[in-house]
Each structure stands twice: as C-alpha cells, then as structure tokens.
Amino acid sequence: MSYELACNEPLLYERFMAKVRRTQEAGCWEWRGATRGSKPYGAIKIKGKVFRAHRISYYIFKGNIPQGKIICHTCDNYKCVNPKHLLLGTASENLFQAYERDRR
C-alpha cells in the first residue's frame, strides 16, 4: 500500500498530532503513541497497516517518499517526528551518519 493511499485518511493530521508532545529540548516532537521494533520508533496504524510514525510525519509535512529512500533523523532521537529533524536519505548514508555520530 502506498503512502498516498494509506495517508488519504480523513482527520489523519489531527489523529497524528494527538500523539505528539513538543519538547523544548532540541526541538524534538516526541511520539507518545505505540512503538515498534528493536529501537523505539513510533508506530501508527492506518487502514489496518502499521507505519513508522516518522515516515508518516515526513509524508504529512513534506510530501511523498520516493521508492528506495529512507527517512533519517538529524537529531538521533528515534521517537522524534518533527519534520524539521527528518530528511530523505539512503540506508548507506544513514549508516555512515551513525558511525560519524558514534551511534554504532
């Protein structure tokens, strides 16, 4: 299911933002809903499918996510969904940044 189809849900923005707490620290928007995976990435169910919250945030605020791209966090906070902290990248770019920031 594409993000466009999945995110074409009435009131998605309101439902999404109800699970967000904006913090002063680093300007992160902390996801307060469900998490999924070995790292505490936020998760949200849309039309029966679970999506990572930071990817939905990127889609809502910045637009479509091209095939083969991932969404990277500039703040290194897995629960952050602030669109200003999210950028398109590749898996290898994300891995390189993780090593640069001593996260691996």
Side-chain angles (χ1 to χ4, degrees), residues 18-23 29-35 42 79 81:
K19 293 176 173 34
V20 172
R21 180 177 62 104
R22 295 179 190 202
T23 65
W29 295 6
E30 193 88 6
W31 181 254
R32 307 305 285 173
T35 60
K79 289 185 179 182
V81 294

Side-chain angles (χ1 to χ4, degrees), residues 13 23 53 86:
Y13 173 83
T23 65
L86 305 174

